[in-house]
Amino acid sequence: DETGIGAGWKMDLTPVYRGAVKITRTVLHLLPGYVAVLDEAELSKEQSVSLRWHTRDQAAPDEQGRFVVRGEQAKLSGMVTRLDEGEVSIERKEQVYDPPHDKGRLGSPLEARRESYVEATLRSDRCRLLTLFHVTSSDAPEIAWSREGEGWTCGDATLLVSDSGLTLSSQAGSISI
């Protein structure tokens, strides 16, 4: 980004998923530590949809889909929400290897590391899932994302979502895609 305040991109992920009509991921990163990720899916039929964010600790989301990942030098305040109509379940889980995916290429058992992740699950033929992140130093006060009018806020940042794209703004400036 020429302005030096962040970056944004939109990726067409449709070829990666079977049964997908259209799947896109839009990402905005506003420096120093605000990130918005919008995942949009249109599927050929109703099916299970899963979005996972792997965490370095056992971050558990609250009823609003907010969670905090803590490290020695930094922490991340995150939030996952569904923008379109319909239910979504957001919870902490641990990676397990169920058969037939529990063995390596040579047939030896895979080590069960039980890595923690936050997962959003739903059943539909379409969805719009928004994930918001705010990264700060580990000793900074916790500031969670919250719904404010037509958007979301966290600290001095505001995210606006429309059918045409995303705009993430703070005192440092604004970035859109």
Side-chain angles (χ1 to χ4, degrees):
D1 173 56
E2 313 79 48
T3 63
I5 62 168
W9 59 91
K10 186 171 190 169
M11 298 171 26
D12 182 356
L13 301 174
T14 309
V16 179
Y17 295 95
R18 273 186 243 147
V21 175
K22 183 77 171 173
I23 297 181
T24 59
R25 170 168 277 181
T26 305
V27 178
L28 281 182
H29 179 194
L30 181 64
L31 298 173
Y34 296 102
V35 179
V37 181
L38 177 61
D39 290 297
E40 299 175 284
E42 181 183 343
L43 309 170
S44 59
K45 63 180 182 181
E46 183 178 291
Q47 57 187 291
S48 295
V49 174
S50 168
L51 170 70
R52 293 182 180 184
W53 293 108
H54 290 262
T55 62
R56 74 173 310 277
D57 65 4
Q58 295 186 349
D62 65 13
E63 311 80 48
Q64 287 82 39
R66 293 184 302 230
F67 59 95
V68 178
V69 179
R70 291 176 178 81
E72 290 180 23
Q73 297 180 0
K75 70 178 161 199
L76 176 144
S77 298
M79 180 181 138
V80 181
T81 189
R82 185 171 182 182
L83 298 182
D84 59 332
E85 294 295 321
E87 293 186 21
V88 62
S89 173
I90 303 168
E91 56 190 337
R92 186 191 83 79
K93 296 184 179 177
E94 291 183 356
Q95 179 70 47
V96 294
Y97 300 113
D98 293 322
H101 309 290
D102 61 340
K103 296 190 177 19
R105 288 183 296 198
L106 301 177
S108 56
L110 292 173
E111 177 188 346
R113 294 179 292 201
R114 308 209 54 91
E115 295 168 344
S116 182
Y117 59 91
V118 172
E119 182 178 38
T121 56
L122 59 101
R123 186 156 184 84
S124 184
D125 64 347
R126 66 187 62 245
C127 66
R128 296 179 80 208
L129 294 173
L130 176 66
T131 307
L132 302 169
F133 298 114
H134 179 223
V135 181
T136 61
S137 64
S138 58
D139 58 351
E142 281 188 25
I143 304 171
W145 285 95
S146 61
R147 181 89 167 146
E148 298 279 332
E150 295 298 312
W152 288 263
T153 62
C154 181
D156 74 334
T158 300
L159 175 77
L160 298 176
V161 179
S162 69
D163 290 336
S164 60
L166 305 174
T167 299
L168 188 54
S169 305
S170 76
Q171 294 173 355
S174 181
I175 190 163
S176 298
I177 189 165

